[in-house]
Every structure is written in C-alpha cells, then in structure tokens.
Amino acid sequence: MTNQSFSARDLSVLWHPCTQMKDHETLPIIPIKKGQGVWLEDFDGNHYLDAISSWWVNLFGHANPYINAALKDQLDTLEHVIFAGFTHESAIKLAEKLVEVTPGGLNRCFFADNGSSAVEVALKMSFHYWRNLGQTQKTKFVTLENSYHGETLGALAVGNVQLYKDTYAPLLMEVITVPGPDCYYRETGESWADYSTRRFALMEQVLQANAESISAVIIEPLVQCAGNMRMYDPVYLSLLRAACDKYNVHLIVDEIAVGFGRTGTLFACEQADISPDFMCLSKGLTGGYLPLSAVLTTHQIYQAFYDDYQKLTAFLHSHSYTGNALACRAGLATLDIFQNNNVIENNKSLIKEMAELAQRFNEHTHVAEVRQTGMILAIEMVKNKRTREPYSWQERRGYKVYQYALSKGVILRPLGNVIYFMPPYIITKEELLLIAQVAWDGIDRAVRD
Ligand SMILES: *Cc1c(COP(=O)(O)O)cnc(C)c1O
C-alpha cells in the first residue's frame, strides 16, 4: 500500500476534524503507517517529527515500550466494564494516584472520556452543587476572552474562540466574558506579573457585581493554548483563587492542555500554589494513548450530592466508556513514568534548550514575540514588527509554514500565525534543533511577498 492509495480511500469516506476538506484537493492527507518515539512514518517511507505531540496528547513518544507492556497486560485481564455498580483495579489505582499528585484538597475523581466532557461535568457539578444547597440562582459561568474549553455545546459556550462563537451562537448558553490577562498586550517594559495583576481588576469587578448569580469561573491556567498559545503570570491565578473564595464562587481549572508537565510543573496550578474546586484533566492523562478524562474535586462538593436516594441529589452524568480499563491503565503507566524517570526535573534542561534555540527568532523581522512557559514555546508571526499589525487570516501564512515543515519532515501545526513547539518529553536536543531550523526556514518562506 502507498500513501496515494490510502489517501484516495480516506477522502472518499472520511470527514476529518477541524478541517476544510477541500484543502485536501491540493494538500494530500498523510496516512501514517507507524510511530516510534517522536517519529511517525507514512506508507511511502517518509518520516515526520511529531513536534506538536499529536495535538498535545503524546508525552513519552509513540509505541512507548512501558505503556505498551502495561496495556498488553490489561488487555488480557479486563478491557472494559460498566462503571456504575462496578469498579476495577486500574480505575481505583489511577484515582488514588491522581488524588495524590494533584493539589491538596482535590480528593474525589470523576471519570469521563474526553476533555470537552470533563468540562461539561465540571460545569454541571458546580451548578448542581449550588442547586443542592438551595442556591438555585447561581447559574452563570464566567470565562476569559480568548479561552478554549472544548467543542461540545456547553464547553463551546464557555469558550471564546470568535469563529466558533459566531457560528454556533444561537445554540450556546449565555456566559459572562471577562477581558483576560494575555501578556501579549502588556505595555513595553511592563512585567508579566504587573500586567496580569492589573488585568485582574476587570475580573474582580465582575465577581463583585454578579457573585450572587455566578456558579463558577472557568480558566486555563498560565497558557491559553488553543487561543494562540497566549500566556500570563501565575499571580492572576492566586488573585482569582482568593476572589472566588471571597465571593463564594467555584474555581474550575481546565488543565486539559497544560497538565502533566507542559508548563514545567506537573500541574500549572502549582506555580500559583493554589487548589481549585474542580480540575479538568485529559490529553496527556493517558500519555496520548487512549481517550480518557477526569474531573478532580473536593470533599465539600462531593458531600453536597451524598444523601438518601429519595432526596434526588445524586449527580446526573454518565458516558458508556466511563472509567475504561485500558485507558485507566495507560494513565497509570503514564504516571509511573513521571515518577520513575524523574520527568519534571529532567525536562528542565529541555526547557532551557528550547529557550536558547528560540532566541534567534526574536531578531526576525516578522516575529513580534517569542514566548515560553515550560515545554510550550510560541512564535508570533506578524506583518509589521513595530506596530504588531497581524497578517490577515485569509493569507494563511501559518498554513504555509505547516506545508513547508511537512515537506521537511516536521509536523508543526500553527494556530493562525503563531508557530509553536510542544514536543513529547523524550525529544533529544538534536531533534529540537531540527524543529527550530525548519521553523525558521518555514517562517522565512511564509513571509515572502
Ligand atoms: C483540547 C482541550 C479541551 C477539549 O478536549 P477534547 O478532548 O478535545 O474534547 C478542553 N480544554 C482545553 C484547554 C483543551 O486544550
């Protein structure tokens, strides 16, 4: 079989996510035959460096021997079982482990099977908690500008990606959207911390004015990944935690993209030394192997649902594949690797290496900013460096970088005009160098004419 034969079959029956399928008239879809470490191989024998961790999920490489072995063992024991009325060893162990490694106070774990569903669960739990307490007026959610929380209707409603918002507006619940702490917009000379602190005043105003009707604030800690990898200082999270306590509002932290080491610490919340009321996890949770998500919450929340059946206070949410045994086992193996291989500590040298490789991009005449938080590095391409005037989206400059990088065997998948590196943690310095070189050349070509 060749790329050509598979892509023809694919394009006659499949519909791919987040894709204008017509683009594939000119850019072939790439059938992947196998993966090994950070590398993927197609059916024509071309290799691709997975610089974006297969949409931010892969942590320890494709075909990781340790995770593979754990899954093979699980497969011969139990693949799946109904998770209401029944339980199993891998789910129990994974929940215990998650309670142990997440911030203090989070000691209950509810499983779902993808990130958006975890967000739905957290929103419903927050609302339902207040309802069980008789506070039925607390129905509103507060979200930040430029945020992203997934694509099911509830998750989409609390997100703020303009195109999605505009398109699906009539289907979405109303939310309160607050201008965010995105440090791209700080004044020259202003520190991330100062800007983030200054911007918090806008959040405080909203909470003060609407606390009575607000159920929760939902936030992506430190990096708004889908929102073009925009970043801010941990001080914003500390201030938000304190304000949520003050105004009696829940804090939902969406660590779906940033959890599991992406920001340099196991969880982004650690950098602000806070613990949320709900923490949503997915993506890296299974090392990029299987769909699984978890919502961690507190004893206090859990207790508000715990009562005699006749009171009808139980939480109402289920998915057929809740707590899937294979997925839970992959999660356990992933957490083992973190522990056994001292991953967070070892990533420090990769983080430093990424920072050094990115230095030269600051000098590029079409780069407005190079920013980094841990294992996420982003390069903002602009039309005019001085005024920061962006390229118009119709020009698809980022897409040009994508195409060039593919031709050189590197998968970069820019967000608009932002090129980013978000590699698996097993990447080598030589491979990082290759990514940086291809990104540089790709940008150079994309900004011509
Ligand atoms: C990817 C993502 C989601 C949605 O997860 P899916 O598994 O794609 O539904 C939610 N929030 C954030 C911050 C994400 O990056």
Side-chain angles (χ1 to χ4, degrees):
M1 293 311 271
T2 61
N3 279 9
Q4 172 62 39
S5 59
F6 269 125
S7 59
R9 281 166 62 186
D10 176 292
L11 295 177
S12 67
V13 288
L14 278 155
W15 193 342
H16 290 268
C18 203
T19 300
Q20 171 47 265
M21 293 298 291
K22 189 165 190 283
D23 279 351
H24 287 307
E25 286 180 10
T26 46
L27 184 70
I29 190 145
I30 301 171
I32 292 300
K33 184 175 175 185
K34 61 179 185 182
Q36 185 64 60
V38 298
W39 292 94
L40 294 166
E41 185 184 336
D42 69 17
F43 282 83
D44 291 348
N46 301 306
H47 290 79
Y48 305 90
L49 204 177
D50 192 354
I52 55 156
S53 300
S54 281
W55 250 351
W56 322 343
V57 298
N58 191 292
L59 303 185
F60 303 118
H62 298 275
N64 181 286
Y66 187 83
I67 303 175
N68 283 4
L71 280 176
K72 284 172 187 167
D73 178 65
Q74 183 69 49
L75 196 56
D76 285 333
T77 316
L78 176 71
E79 78 299 332
H80 181 71
V81 64
I82 176 173
F83 207 60
F86 294 83
T87 191
H88 58 85
E89 186 177 357
S90 292
I92 296 167
K93 281 187 175 166
L94 180 58
E96 285 173 349
K97 202 80 198 162
L98 288 172
V99 164
E100 183 189 318
V101 299
T102 50
L106 296 173
N107 45 31
R108 276 288 155 186
C109 176
F110 187 98
F111 285 121
D113 48 22
N114 62 72
S116 304
S117 297
V119 169
E120 302 283 346
V121 166
L123 298 173
K124 283 171 67 182
M125 261 185 195
S126 171
F127 162 81
H128 202 160
Y129 168 89
W130 297 118
R131 188 178 187 277
N132 282 352
L133 261 55
Q135 302 210 37
T136 49
Q137 81 293 349
K138 282 171 96 65
T139 61
K140 290 259 185 326
F141 295 100
V142 176
T143 184
L144 292 185
E145 251 176 14
N146 193 46
S147 58
Y148 176 90
H149 297 289
E151 303 187 22
T152 54
L153 292 176
L156 205 53
V158 292
N160 189 242
V161 178
Q162 207 52 46
L163 176 63
Y164 289 30
K165 269 294 216 233
D166 291 347
T167 309
Y168 298 108
L171 308 184
L172 305 179
M173 69 174 162
E174 252 180 63
V175 298
I176 303 174
T177 306
V178 176
D182 174 358
C183 287
Y184 184 69
Y185 298 112
R186 72 195 186 281
E187 300 293 326
T188 353
E190 191 175 22
S191 73
W192 281 28
D194 285 348
Y195 184 71
S196 301
T197 304
R198 178 154 72 81
R199 295 292 280 184
F200 187 76
L202 299 161
M203 174 64 83
E204 174 99 31
Q205 279 166 22
V206 163
L207 291 176
Q208 191 170 27
N210 305 283
E212 263 162 40
S213 63
I214 297 173
S215 182
V217 177
I218 182 166
I219 189 166
E220 295 157 272
L222 303 189
V223 188
Q224 296 184 312
C225 292
N228 292 355
M229 299 292 170
R230 293 295 177 82
M231 301 174 183
Y232 60 91
D233 191 89
V235 69
Y236 192 89
L237 297 173
S238 316
L239 293 168
L240 182 58
R241 174 69 277 182
C244 285
D245 287 340
K246 179 173 168 193
Y247 295 109
N248 205 24
V249 160
H250 292 145
L251 176 59
I252 302 172
V253 158
D254 177 352
E255 292 236 13
I256 291 165
V258 296
F260 300 102
R262 275 296 161 200
T263 66
T265 43
L266 190 58
F267 298 105
C269 278
E270 293 169 29
Q271 296 184 40
D273 199 17
I274 62 151
S275 188
D277 300 288
F278 301 93
M279 181 185 268
C280 301
L281 300 173
S282 190
K283 293 210 164 98
L285 174 58
T286 62
Y289 265 69
L290 286 156
L292 180 70
S293 63
V295 177
L296 277 292
T297 189
T298 64
H299 179 70
Q300 186 185 347
I301 303 279
Y302 178 74
Q303 280 303 316
F305 293 82
Y306 194 93
D307 208 336
D308 294 332
Y309 181 83
Q310 290 74 9
K311 300 272 178 59
L312 295 180
T313 54
F315 185 49
L316 304 173
H317 196 97
S318 60
H319 294 290
S320 313
Y321 283 99
T322 298
N324 175 260
L326 286 163
C328 286
R329 188 65 181 271
L332 269 174
T334 299
L335 286 170
D336 278 350
I337 296 175
F338 270 104
Q339 198 168 356
N340 300 341
N341 300 9
N342 209 10
V343 172
I344 297 298
E345 193 55 35
N346 290 336
N347 276 358
K348 285 182 181 159
S349 71
L350 286 177
I351 291 168
K352 201 159 147 262
E353 187 71 16
M354 281 164 72
E356 281 163 15
L357 286 170
Q359 279 286 349
R360 64 187 289 216
F361 289 86
N362 281 304
E363 312 307 322
H364 198 288
T365 47
H366 287 282
V367 170
E369 185 179 69
V370 178
R371 51 183 177 268
Q372 183 180 13
T373 299
M375 292 292 294
I376 307 172
L377 189 131
I379 299 159
E380 183 104 17
M381 245 185 346
V382 288
K383 186 169 182 182
N384 186 316
K385 192 179 178 87
R386 193 179 48 79
T387 63
R388 289 190 160 187
E389 182 195 345
Y391 284 114
S392 76
W393 62 268
Q394 292 92 337
E395 294 174 19
R396 305 186 79 183
R397 303 270 174 173
Y399 187 62
K400 289 179 183 165
V401 178
Y402 172 66
Q403 288 172 290
Y404 173 79
L406 271 185
S407 76
K408 295 292 166 194
V410 175
I411 306 178
L412 293 171
R413 198 175 190 279
L415 292 155
N417 295 320
V418 173
I419 321 302
Y420 66 89
F421 311 159
M422 199 156 164
Y425 307 157
I426 52 152
I427 196 159
T428 63
K429 294 187 175 175
E430 293 69 36
E431 288 159 346
L432 280 175
L433 183 63
L434 173 65
I435 297 175
Q437 188 58 47
V438 168
W440 179 273
D441 294 342
I443 291 171
D444 249 2
R445 272 157 202 262
V447 300
R448 278 183 204 165
D449 69 81

